[in-house]
Amino acid sequence: SCFDPFSTYDSTCQLAQEIAEKIQQRNQYERNGENTTKLTVTIRALLQKLKEKIALLKDLLLRAVATHQITQLEGDRRQNLLDDLVTRERLLLASFKNEGAEPDLIRSSLMTGGAKRGAPNPWLLEEPEETRGLGFDEIRQQQQKIIQEQDAGLDALSSIISRQKQMGQEIGNELDEQNEIIDDLANLVENTDEKLRTETRRVNLVDRKSTSCGKRLILILLLLIYYFIVLPGIDVCIYKCP
């Protein structure tokens, strides 16, 4: 086919948006009492053009699926896009004939559901290279392989987490043992400190006793010197004095 389905779909969405805007404009003219004949003719022609474009897209899609240019899965996805266009065409036609829902509501739904400026064309979202040209069985096998690889990765991750958990428990046990050792050392230091204070008090007591005994010895020596040396000397001096 000489038509590009990508650009055809994009232009069809833009055409539907243009029709919605012109229907809104026509309804505004009617409320203001202005002549809508020329605008009505334009809208009718655009609706016919929209119908032809949708029919062309249907034909291009059928050929693409029939000639295996795309997979059936991709064909179903594009068929859903076409169904949406058909629904929008019916809403536009009903709005043009002033049937069904309010024109403003129809336009709102069309504008939000239609092609937006700057937004990617959903028709261009082709299937990836990994699945292009593959049948359903091949795609299923590929998906199963991916799932198996993911399961293997999850198993490996689970094993790593289990090892880390075991290491954490071992570290916790080691910390508990170290805490017990530290508690024992603290108790030993406390006992040793108490013994040291006790011994210090004993040493101070002995020191005070030693000092007291020394003073007593000195006093006794002085008394002995007085009685045995000083007093006899005094007596001799008295006797020898005239």
Side-chain angles (χ1 to χ4, degrees), residues 5-241:
F6 303 149
S7 60
T8 301
Y9 175 82
D10 189 52
S11 63
T12 303
C13 292
Q14 292 176 0
L15 179 59
Q17 181 176 341
E18 180 183 357
I19 294 172
E21 293 173 352
K22 289 189 178 300
I23 291 176
Q24 181 71 9
Q25 185 180 4
R26 185 207 62 177
N27 295 342
Q28 184 66 37
Y29 283 1
E30 288 179 348
R31 287 192 288 269
N32 296 336
E34 300 180 31
N35 189 351
T36 61
T37 303
K38 183 177 180 181
L39 192 56
T40 299
V41 173
T42 301
I43 295 172
R44 185 177 290 110
L46 291 176
L47 283 170
Q48 181 61 31
K49 186 177 180 181
L50 178 63
K51 183 177 181 180
E52 293 173 356
K53 279 183 168 290
I54 291 175
L56 176 60
L57 281 172
K58 289 181 180 179
D59 183 62
L60 293 174
L61 179 57
L62 288 174
R63 292 183 184 181
V65 174
T67 56
H68 301 290
Q69 297 178 15
I70 58 176
T71 63
Q72 185 63 45
L73 187 63
E74 177 65 14
D76 293 340
R77 189 186 72 84
R78 297 188 184 187
Q79 183 62 53
N80 291 333
L81 296 175
L82 272 178
D83 292 340
D84 180 63
L85 277 176
V86 172
T87 301
R88 292 162 62 193
E89 179 195 10
R90 292 173 181 171
L91 287 172
L92 286 171
L93 186 59
S95 178
F96 175 66
K97 296 178 179 180
N98 290 324
E99 299 174 354
E102 288 294 326
D104 290 346
L105 181 60
I106 293 175
R107 178 180 181 276
S108 176
S109 64
L110 288 169
M111 297 296 287
T112 55
K116 300 178 182 178
R117 291 193 179 112
N121 186 343
W123 199 276
L124 292 173
L125 300 176
E126 297 181 87
E127 58 183 317
E129 293 288 343
E130 292 80 4
T131 60
R132 186 173 300 173
L134 299 179
F136 285 118
D137 293 336
E138 294 173 323
I139 293 176
R140 188 180 298 107
Q141 291 176 0
Q142 188 180 70
Q143 291 176 344
Q144 290 176 351
K145 182 179 178 182
I146 293 174
I147 292 174
Q148 291 174 355
E149 292 176 352
Q150 291 176 345
D151 290 341
L154 291 174
D155 290 339
L157 180 60
S158 176
S159 178
I160 293 173
I161 293 175
S162 297
R163 288 199 298 271
Q164 290 179 342
K165 180 180 179 181
Q166 183 179 0
M167 291 174 60
Q169 292 176 344
E170 292 176 355
I171 292 174
N173 295 335
E174 182 67 23
L175 288 176
D176 291 339
E177 294 178 1
Q178 295 296 329
N179 288 333
E180 292 177 359
I181 294 174
I182 291 174
D183 291 338
D184 293 340
L185 288 175
N187 293 331
L188 180 61
V189 169
E190 185 177 356
N191 294 334
T192 303
D193 185 62
E194 182 63 27
K195 291 180 179 179
L196 182 61
R197 287 196 295 267
T198 302
E199 294 299 325
T200 302
R201 287 194 296 269
R202 289 179 179 178
V203 169
N204 291 334
L205 182 60
V206 170
D207 183 63
R208 286 197 297 271
K209 290 182 177 180
S210 299
T211 303
S212 178
C213 291
K215 290 179 179 179
R216 290 178 182 177
L217 289 174
I218 292 173
L219 181 58
I220 292 171
L221 288 174
L222 290 174
L223 290 173
L224 291 173
I225 292 172
Y226 178 77
Y227 282 111
F228 291 99
I229 297 177
V230 175
L231 285 178
I234 293 176
D235 291 338
V236 171
C237 182
I238 290 175
Y239 289 133
K240 288 184 178 183
C241 287

